[in-house]
């Protein structure tokens, strides 16, 4: 049943990129925290918070932006092209059932 799913929803590549992103972030932030250990707890706290927010946002973005693009933009463009080609063959009396589905 899952063999016919489009490659937009292939999560293994996105998960691998997310893990790479978090590993790279960890490898760059941990040495920075050790180097700046004498500069005070506020500086270390700020760096850790920025790293956590970046890691969280990047992981969410890498996981969900391609799916949202595939669902909302690419499919919407296909629907619009189909309804425009169907609308050219009908009269312009107003929105048909297929046109209203493309609008909403």
């Amino acid at each position: 049943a899952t063999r016919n799913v489009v490659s937009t929803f292939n999560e293994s590549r996105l998960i691998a990129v997310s893990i790479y992103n978090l590993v790279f972030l960890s490898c760059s932030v941990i040495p920075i925290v050790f180097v700046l250990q004498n500069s005070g707890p506020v500086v270390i706290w700020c760096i850790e918070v920025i790293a956590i927010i970046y890691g969280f946002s990047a992981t969410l973005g890498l996981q969900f932006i391609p799916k949202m693009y595939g669902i909302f933009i690419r499919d919407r463009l296909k629907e619009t092209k189909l309804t425009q080609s169907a609308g050219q063959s009908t009269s312009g009396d107003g929105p048909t059932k297929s046109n209203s589905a493309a609008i909403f």
Side-chain angles (χ1 to χ4, degrees), residues 8 12 14 21-22 24 32-33 46 58 65 68 81 89 92 98:
T8 305
S12 60
L14 299 173
N21 185 28
L22 291 174
F24 179 74
I32 291 172
V33 168
C46 288
I65 288 175
M68 296 298 179
K81 288 179 184 176
S89 63
S98 62

Side-chain angles (χ1 to χ4, degrees), residues 82-94:
L82 288 175
T83 56
Q84 284 176 352
S85 64
Q88 290 173 355
S89 63
T90 63
S91 64
D93 299 347

Side-chain angles (χ1 to χ4, degrees), residues 61-96:
L62 287 170
Q63 292 297 319
F64 292 110
I65 288 175
K67 290 179 181 70
M68 296 298 179
Y69 173 78
I71 291 171
F72 291 116
I73 296 174
R74 193 173 345 148
D75 288 345
R76 202 54 76 104
L77 289 175
K78 285 181 186 176
E79 282 182 11
T80 306
K81 288 179 184 176
L82 288 175
T83 56
Q84 284 176 352
S85 64
Q88 290 173 355
S89 63
T90 63
S91 64
D93 299 347
T96 60

Side-chain angles (χ1 to χ4, degrees), residues 3 6 8 12 19 23 27 30 32 34 40 51-52 63 83 90 92 97 101:
R3 294 178 189 218
V6 293
T8 305
S12 60
I19 290 172
V23 168
C27 290
I30 291 172
I32 291 172
F34 280 127
I52 290 169
Q63 292 297 319
T83 56
T90 63
K97 193 170 192 176

